[in-house]
Amino acid sequence: GKVSSLPIIIVRVLLEAQKKREAFKVQEERDLLFTQSIDLIGIAGTDGYFKTINPAFERTLGYTTEEMLATPFIYNIHPDDRDATLSSIEHLEHSLQATSIINRNRCKNGEYIWLEWNVVLHGDMIFVNARDMTERMKAQEEILNLNQELEQKVQLRTQELSVANSALTTEIHERIVIGEKLEEKNREITDSINYAKRIQHAKIPNIESFRNYLPECFVFFQPKDIVSGDFY
């Protein structure tokens, strides 16, 4: 009721002032997010230079804002990752779709860290947001190394078992062959002994023919297994 009773010009001035305060508050919150974010936030041109960056760049990479703006961003990327990075940016310029790039970036102290960049092209400006992925990449590398080491151990153990199995198979085969030979020899010996048994039994006189002359006679014949000694 009080506002409606004021002159229109004053009401307009008050509304404009309120809009400015709200816009200033939004801008202030946006600036606060830009300056306090732990993520690297920046804007680069298609000429390869950053135009503006937030303080997280200096906290993460060690370079001052002036140093970062004066150096082509590709210069700090690991040589082995540059071609893939440039290819992704070129694809971005043609597709106009947001993309993600993971590469190694050189810090001011000479060390390299892994960064994951979320990149969006708007006009001739490239908007980037990056996060340090070094610890995660190290963990993945350790897991990969452990898997490779485990795989090597499994392969080595498999080879050892294969060699042992081959040796065991050979030994079993040799024993089978030896067993077959022994069985054959044993059969030959048994056949020979059985033949000797038949000869021995054939040479033993018929007891009835003896009893015609010696009624109370007998023949003692007691072989141990199959055949006896030379005499009955």
Side-chain angles (χ1 to χ4, degrees):
K2 291 182 180 180
V3 174
S4 62
S5 63
L6 295 173
I8 295 178
I9 186 66
I10 296 177
V11 173
R12 288 179 178 176
V13 171
L14 291 175
L15 290 176
E16 289 294 331
Q18 183 178 359
K19 289 181 180 179
K20 289 182 179 180
R21 286 196 299 272
E22 291 175 353
F24 178 78
K25 183 178 179 181
V26 171
Q27 182 64 37
E28 189 177 41
E29 291 175 349
R30 188 181 299 117
D31 292 343
L32 183 64
L33 175 64
F34 183 79
T35 56
Q36 298 300 318
S37 174
I38 61 173
D39 291 345
L40 285 68
I41 302 174
I43 302 174
T46 54
D47 60 355
Y49 287 83
F50 280 110
K51 306 305 177 183
T52 182
I53 58 174
N54 71 340
F57 272 83
E58 183 172 353
R59 292 195 297 267
T60 304
L61 298 174
Y63 299 103
T64 64
T65 299
E66 292 74 16
E67 290 172 330
M68 288 296 301
L69 299 183
T71 306
F73 59 76
I74 198 68
Y75 179 77
N76 289 326
I77 296 176
H78 194 285
D80 293 342
D81 299 337
R82 290 178 184 175
D83 288 342
T85 301
L86 291 174
S87 177
S88 297
I89 294 175
E90 183 179 355
H91 177 74
L92 174 69
E93 293 175 352
H94 288 87
S95 66
L96 301 179
Q97 295 181 349
T99 187
S100 177
I101 304 172
I102 298 178
N103 53 28
R104 287 162 289 181
N105 292 256
R106 185 177 58 190
C107 299
K108 193 170 184 177
N109 61 9
E111 297 180 356
Y112 280 91
I113 63 172
W114 286 93
L115 293 178
E116 181 179 23
W117 302 84
N118 294 308
V119 187
V120 179
L121 180 65
H122 183 71
D124 59 350
M125 292 296 175
I126 303 173
F127 294 79
V128 300
N129 176 277
R131 177 165 294 184
D132 190 349
M133 301 287 293
T134 305
E135 293 303 321
R136 194 176 84 177
M137 297 301 291
K138 286 182 178 179
Q140 290 179 355
E141 185 177 2
E142 289 179 1
I143 293 174
L144 179 62
N145 291 335
L146 287 174
N147 287 338
Q148 291 178 344
E149 183 179 350
L150 179 60
E151 185 176 350
Q152 291 175 353
K153 289 183 178 179
V154 170
Q155 290 178 350
L156 179 61
R157 183 56 179 164
T158 301
Q159 292 175 354
E160 292 175 350
L161 290 175
S162 178
V163 172
N165 184 62
S166 177
L168 180 60
T169 302
T170 301
E171 182 179 353
I172 291 175
H173 178 71
E174 291 176 351
R175 290 191 178 190
I176 291 174
V177 172
I178 293 173
E180 290 175 347
K181 290 182 178 180
L182 289 175
E183 185 177 353
E184 182 179 357
K185 290 295 183 182
N186 184 61
R187 184 168 55 250
E188 291 176 356
I189 294 172
T190 302
D191 290 344
S192 177
I193 292 175
N194 286 330
Y195 183 73
K197 173 185 175 182
R198 288 198 298 271
I199 294 175
Q200 281 189 336
H201 279 272
K203 286 190 174 185
I204 297 177
N206 188 343
I207 189 66
E208 296 301 327
S209 61
F210 272 95
R211 284 177 178 167
N212 290 330
Y213 303 99
L214 299 171
E216 296 182 357
C217 73
F218 64 90
V219 174
F220 180 79
F221 181 67
Q222 188 177 11
K224 179 178 181 297
D225 293 311
I226 299 176
V227 295
S228 70
D230 293 336
F231 302 99
Y232 57 88

